Amino acid sequence: MLKLTSSDIKKTVFEALVIPVCEDKNIYEDLALSSLTKKAMLHKEFRGVKENELILYNLTEIAAERVMFLGLGKADKIDHELLRSTAGKAVRTCIDKDLAEVVIAVPSADALHMDVTTMIEAMLEGACLSNHIFDMYKQEKKQSVLQNIHLLVTPDTASRHKYLPPKIETICRGSILARNWVSMPANDKRPEAFARLIENEARKVKLKIEILDEKDLQKGGFGALLAVAAGSDSKPRLMVLEYDPRSAKKSLVLVGKGVTFDSGGINIKPTEGLDGMKTDMSGAAAVAATLISAARLKSGIKIIGVLPLVENMPSGSATRPGDIVKTYAGKTVEIGNTDAEGRLILIDAISYAIEKYKPDTLIDLATLTGACVVALGEKIAGIFTFDDSLAAEILASGQKTFERCWRMPLPEDYKELLKSDFADINNMPGTRYGGAITAALFLSEFVGNTRWAHIDIAGPAYSKKAGAYCTAGGTGFGVRLLCDVLDRL
Ligand code: BES
Ligand code: ZN
Ligand code: ZN
């Protein structure tokens, strides 16, 4: 449980009190906290510089069993992400020490010239996101998460921000749900099983659930989606989750790429390329988790999640390079490369969603291209849209949540690269240069006049290394971003 507390640290017994400390300035108005900070600075090994850590036990002036000081560095360099990471580190250290609770002091907003709400939000997020262990597949569970996380603030701040802990906890639970799905191995989340996993969670918040199976997809004419699924003996699904609050004035469709394993198909990937391809459903995971969080938060917007779920495998029944298929929209596609499968399942899902729901805005989330990782690295997502206001909204959410995004261009003349000699369009561009852009342009051919953005999360969806508030594995990227976008639409 996340909580704000303003209880007296001199009297209240906590297992651990964590105090973030600056190297060049006292950042606490509270006298007990500032004198504890001074005391910490008397120790040679602690200067308050970044990564600095000091733990003192059984202090007489305070009831906590241990006080942990974490260095923040210089005051003018501190931003919300550093606070998020510091809170994350505090929680991780307490988990490592096998504790059950922590109290983290929130520095004075005035001292840091920051907005107090932003500070609390960031610290709640970092702490909550860090309080997660993926040990579903370990026989021996070596660690457990903390039972209670408190942020220490003034009584006035606590009462003005009462609404925040449950809100942040709901959103971060969504991120963690997505992380777990992404980290899960592909043998336990083949399309039908993954649909059931999502259904179990979606039921809890009373989302409307519709699942189209292979027969429905055949009848419906989802030729592009079926072409990707053709090689697998696990049958595809198109899952639709609907959150429809009464009196909603706006509607949003979220489409998430749900390739539960991307082998590349007949254009099979080399060994290095196959590594991590169980995470090719990260878009679908983030979209499903966002809907679940949005329902818990009672968002005022109608949101429809459309999840094409397939496994991309080579076999005797698999689609061949050069095959031509008819999409849901009626256009024909030459499948120049079976490894460019994400765009194929997305266009059928997008066409279906636009026809059926006529949304005001449509955003798709996909681990779409290796080229996007080359362009922006592993921590930044690419945003593609013709709509400047939608770009601005997503970029602002990216800054606020630190799920970083960078807008990429959609040059009209690059569409030439998608020409096919035999069909209306080719899924394989004529060059590998600009691969993230040509993939987005391919999608753009199927969105009509709908206000649309595509977010390529191939880089940030997954991390091989643990970060300050995320263990190695799925990151849940997109859930906090999209939950924040909802407030801006
Ligand atoms: N799932 C991959 C993209 C990907 C690559 C995600 C690395 C995460 C990490 C996608 O389906 C793919 O294989 N794309 C190809 C497209 C190409 C064949 C046009 C790529 O990026 O190489
Ligand atoms: Zn692929
Ligand atoms: Zn893929």
Side-chain angles (χ1 to χ4, degrees), residues 220-249:
F222 293 78
L225 191 160
L226 288 165
V228 177
S232 171
D233 47 18
S234 181
K235 300 299 170 209
R237 294 287 184 272
L238 184 76
M239 184 162 196
V240 182
L241 303 173
E242 203 174 324
Y243 168 69
D244 192 3
R246 250 164 302 197
S247 73
K249 293 199 180 66

Short mmCIF file of all heavy atoms in Angstrom, two decimals, residues 220-249:
data_model
loop_
_atom_site.label_atom_id
_atom_site.label_comp_id
_atom_site.label_asym_id
_atom_site.label_seq_id
_atom_site.Cartn_x
_atom_site.Cartn_y
_atom_site.Cartn_z
N GLY A 220 -14.73 -12.52 -41.37
CA GLY A 220 -14.61 -11.05 -41.41
C GLY A 220 -13.64 -10.54 -42.47
O GLY A 220 -13.62 -9.35 -42.76
N GLY A 221 -12.83 -11.41 -43.02
CA GLY A 221 -11.90 -10.96 -44.07
C GLY A 221 -10.62 -10.33 -43.56
O GLY A 221 -10.07 -9.43 -44.19
N PHE A 222 -10.13 -10.81 -42.40
CA PHE A 222 -8.88 -10.27 -41.84
C PHE A 222 -7.68 -10.98 -42.48
O PHE A 222 -6.91 -11.67 -41.81
CB PHE A 222 -8.86 -10.48 -40.31
CG PHE A 222 -9.88 -9.67 -39.56
CD1 PHE A 222 -11.21 -10.04 -39.51
CD2 PHE A 222 -9.49 -8.51 -38.88
CE1 PHE A 222 -12.15 -9.30 -38.81
CE2 PHE A 222 -10.42 -7.75 -38.17
CZ PHE A 222 -11.75 -8.15 -38.14
N GLY A 223 -7.53 -10.78 -43.79
CA GLY A 223 -6.53 -11.54 -44.56
C GLY A 223 -5.08 -11.30 -44.12
O GLY A 223 -4.26 -12.21 -44.15
N ALA A 224 -4.76 -10.08 -43.73
CA ALA A 224 -3.38 -9.76 -43.36
C ALA A 224 -3.02 -10.40 -42.02
O ALA A 224 -1.96 -11.00 -41.86
CB ALA A 224 -3.18 -8.25 -43.30
N LEU A 225 -3.95 -10.28 -41.08
CA LEU A 225 -3.73 -10.89 -39.76
C LEU A 225 -3.61 -12.41 -39.88
O LEU A 225 -2.70 -13.03 -39.32
CB LEU A 225 -4.92 -10.51 -38.85
CG LEU A 225 -4.83 -10.79 -37.36
CD1 LEU A 225 -5.83 -9.91 -36.62
CD2 LEU A 225 -5.08 -12.23 -36.99
N LEU A 226 -4.50 -13.01 -40.67
CA LEU A 226 -4.48 -14.47 -40.82
C LEU A 226 -3.22 -14.95 -41.52
O LEU A 226 -2.71 -16.04 -41.21
CB LEU A 226 -5.73 -14.93 -41.61
CG LEU A 226 -7.04 -14.84 -40.82
CD1 LEU A 226 -8.24 -14.95 -41.75
CD2 LEU A 226 -7.10 -15.93 -39.74
N ALA A 227 -2.68 -14.14 -42.41
CA ALA A 227 -1.45 -14.52 -43.12
C ALA A 227 -0.29 -14.66 -42.13
O ALA A 227 0.55 -15.54 -42.26
CB ALA A 227 -1.12 -13.49 -44.18
N VAL A 228 -0.26 -13.79 -41.13
CA VAL A 228 0.81 -13.87 -40.13
C VAL A 228 0.64 -15.10 -39.25
O VAL A 228 1.61 -15.78 -38.90
CB VAL A 228 0.85 -12.59 -39.25
CG1 VAL A 228 1.91 -12.71 -38.18
CG2 VAL A 228 1.08 -11.35 -40.11
N ALA A 229 -0.62 -15.41 -38.94
CA ALA A 229 -0.90 -16.53 -38.03
C ALA A 229 -0.77 -17.89 -38.71
O ALA A 229 -0.67 -18.91 -38.03
CB ALA A 229 -2.31 -16.38 -37.46
N ALA A 230 -0.72 -17.90 -40.04
CA ALA A 230 -0.87 -19.15 -40.80
C ALA A 230 0.15 -20.23 -40.44
O ALA A 230 -0.14 -21.42 -40.52
CB ALA A 230 -0.82 -18.86 -42.30
N GLY A 231 1.36 -19.84 -40.05
CA GLY A 231 2.41 -20.83 -39.80
C GLY A 231 2.34 -21.48 -38.43
O GLY A 231 3.01 -22.47 -38.18
N SER A 232 1.55 -20.92 -37.54
CA SER A 232 1.53 -21.42 -36.16
C SER A 232 0.37 -22.37 -35.94
O SER A 232 -0.71 -22.19 -36.52
CB SER A 232 1.39 -20.25 -35.19
OG SER A 232 1.16 -20.72 -33.88
N ASP A 233 0.57 -23.39 -35.09
CA ASP A 233 -0.59 -24.22 -34.79
C ASP A 233 -1.36 -23.67 -33.59
O ASP A 233 -2.34 -24.26 -33.14
CB ASP A 233 -0.24 -25.71 -34.64
CG ASP A 233 0.96 -25.94 -33.77
OD1 ASP A 233 1.30 -25.01 -33.02
OD2 ASP A 233 1.56 -27.03 -33.85
N SER A 234 -0.94 -22.53 -33.10
CA SER A 234 -1.76 -21.82 -32.12
C SER A 234 -2.55 -20.76 -32.86
O SER A 234 -1.99 -19.91 -33.54
CB SER A 234 -0.85 -21.18 -31.06
OG SER A 234 -1.63 -20.52 -30.10
N LYS A 235 -3.87 -20.84 -32.77
CA LYS A 235 -4.74 -20.02 -33.61
C LYS A 235 -4.81 -18.57 -33.13
O LYS A 235 -4.73 -18.29 -31.94
CB LYS A 235 -6.14 -20.62 -33.66
CG LYS A 235 -6.17 -22.05 -34.21
CD LYS A 235 -5.66 -22.06 -35.64
CE LYS A 235 -5.43 -23.47 -36.17
NZ LYS A 235 -4.36 -23.49 -37.18
N PRO A 236 -4.99 -17.65 -34.09
CA PRO A 236 -5.01 -16.22 -33.73
C PRO A 236 -6.31 -15.80 -33.04
O PRO A 236 -7.32 -16.50 -33.12
CB PRO A 236 -4.91 -15.53 -35.09
CG PRO A 236 -5.59 -16.49 -36.03
CD PRO A 236 -5.23 -17.86 -35.53
N ARG A 237 -6.24 -14.65 -32.40
CA ARG A 237 -7.42 -14.04 -31.79
C ARG A 237 -7.39 -12.55 -32.08
O ARG A 237 -6.31 -11.96 -32.16
CB ARG A 237 -7.40 -14.22 -30.26
CG ARG A 237 -7.52 -15.67 -29.78
CD ARG A 237 -8.94 -16.18 -29.98
NE ARG A 237 -9.12 -17.52 -29.44
CZ ARG A 237 -8.90 -18.65 -30.13
NH1 ARG A 237 -8.47 -18.58 -31.38
NH2 ARG A 237 -9.11 -19.82 -29.58
N LEU A 238 -8.57 -11.95 -32.16
CA LEU A 238 -8.63 -10.49 -32.12
C LEU A 238 -9.48 -10.15 -30.90
O LEU A 238 -10.66 -10.49 -30.83
CB LEU A 238 -9.26 -9.89 -33.38
CG LEU A 238 -9.22 -8.36 -33.37
CD1 LEU A 238 -7.82 -7.82 -33.67
CD2 LEU A 238 -10.19 -7.77 -34.39
N MET A 239 -8.83 -9.54 -29.94
CA MET A 239 -9.51 -9.27 -28.67
C MET A 239 -9.89 -7.80 -28.61
O MET A 239 -9.08 -6.93 -28.94
CB MET A 239 -8.54 -9.62 -27.55
CG MET A 239 -9.13 -9.48 -26.19
SD MET A 239 -8.12 -10.39 -25.02
CE MET A 239 -9.28 -10.49 -23.67
N VAL A 240 -11.12 -7.53 -28.20
CA VAL A 240 -11.57 -6.15 -28.07
C VAL A 240 -12.04 -5.90 -26.64
O VAL A 240 -12.91 -6.61 -26.13
CB VAL A 240 -12.72 -5.83 -29.07
CG1 VAL A 240 -13.14 -4.37 -28.94
CG2 VAL A 240 -12.30 -6.14 -30.50
N LEU A 241 -11.43 -4.94 -26.00
CA LEU A 241 -11.80 -4.56 -24.63
C LEU A 241 -12.46 -3.19 -24.71
O LEU A 241 -11.94 -2.29 -25.36
CB LEU A 241 -10.56 -4.46 -23.74
CG LEU A 241 -9.69 -5.71 -23.64
CD1 LEU A 241 -8.41 -5.39 -22.87
CD2 LEU A 241 -10.47 -6.83 -22.97
N GLU A 242 -13.58 -3.05 -24.02
CA GLU A 242 -14.28 -1.77 -24.13
C GLU A 242 -14.58 -1.20 -22.75
O GLU A 242 -15.13 -1.88 -21.89
CB GLU A 242 -15.59 -2.01 -24.90
CG GLU A 242 -16.11 -0.76 -25.55
CD GLU A 242 -17.34 -1.05 -26.43
OE1 GLU A 242 -17.38 -2.12 -27.09
OE2 GLU A 242 -18.25 -0.21 -26.43
N TYR A 243 -14.19 0.04 -22.59
CA TYR A 243 -14.54 0.78 -21.37
C TYR A 243 -15.40 1.94 -21.81
O TYR A 243 -14.94 2.83 -22.53
CB TYR A 243 -13.27 1.27 -20.66
CG TYR A 243 -13.55 2.26 -19.57
CD1 TYR A 243 -14.19 1.87 -18.39
CD2 TYR A 243 -13.21 3.61 -19.72
CE1 TYR A 243 -14.48 2.78 -17.40
CE2 TYR A 243 -13.49 4.52 -18.73
CZ TYR A 243 -14.12 4.11 -17.58
OH TYR A 243 -14.42 5.02 -16.60
N ASP A 244 -16.67 1.91 -21.42
CA ASP A 244 -17.62 2.90 -21.94
C ASP A 244 -18.36 3.59 -20.80
O ASP A 244 -19.47 3.19 -20.45
CB ASP A 244 -18.59 2.19 -22.90
CG ASP A 244 -19.41 3.18 -23.70
OD1 ASP A 244 -19.18 4.41 -23.55
OD2 ASP A 244 -20.28 2.74 -24.48
N PRO A 245 -17.77 4.63 -20.21
CA PRO A 245 -18.43 5.29 -19.10
C PRO A 245 -19.62 6.10 -19.64
O PRO A 245 -19.55 6.62 -20.76
CB PRO A 245 -17.36 6.23 -18.55
CG PRO A 245 -16.47 6.50 -19.71
CD PRO A 245 -16.51 5.28 -20.58
N ARG A 246 -20.68 6.18 -18.85
CA ARG A 246 -21.82 6.98 -19.28
C ARG A 246 -21.37 8.43 -19.43
O ARG A 246 -20.48 8.88 -18.73
CB ARG A 246 -22.95 6.91 -18.24
CG ARG A 246 -24.15 6.11 -18.78
CD ARG A 246 -25.04 5.73 -17.64
NE ARG A 246 -24.24 4.95 -16.68
CZ ARG A 246 -24.78 4.19 -15.74
NH1 ARG A 246 -26.06 4.10 -15.61
NH2 ARG A 246 -24.02 3.51 -14.91
N SER A 247 -21.97 9.12 -20.35
CA SER A 247 -21.70 10.54 -20.61
C SER A 247 -20.27 10.82 -21.10
O SER A 247 -19.77 11.93 -20.93
CB SER A 247 -22.02 11.39 -19.38
OG SER A 247 -21.04 11.20 -18.37
N ALA A 248 -19.63 9.82 -21.70
CA ALA A 248 -18.31 10.07 -22.29
C ALA A 248 -18.48 10.97 -23.51
O ALA A 248 -19.38 10.76 -24.33
CB ALA A 248 -17.66 8.76 -22.71
N LYS A 249 -17.63 11.99 -23.61
CA LYS A 249 -17.75 12.92 -24.74
C LYS A 249 -16.71 12.63 -25.81
O LYS A 249 -16.81 13.11 -26.93
CB LYS A 249 -17.61 14.36 -24.25
CG LYS A 249 -18.77 14.77 -23.37
CD LYS A 249 -18.87 16.28 -23.25
CE LYS A 249 -20.03 16.69 -22.37
NZ LYS A 249 -19.84 16.26 -20.96
#
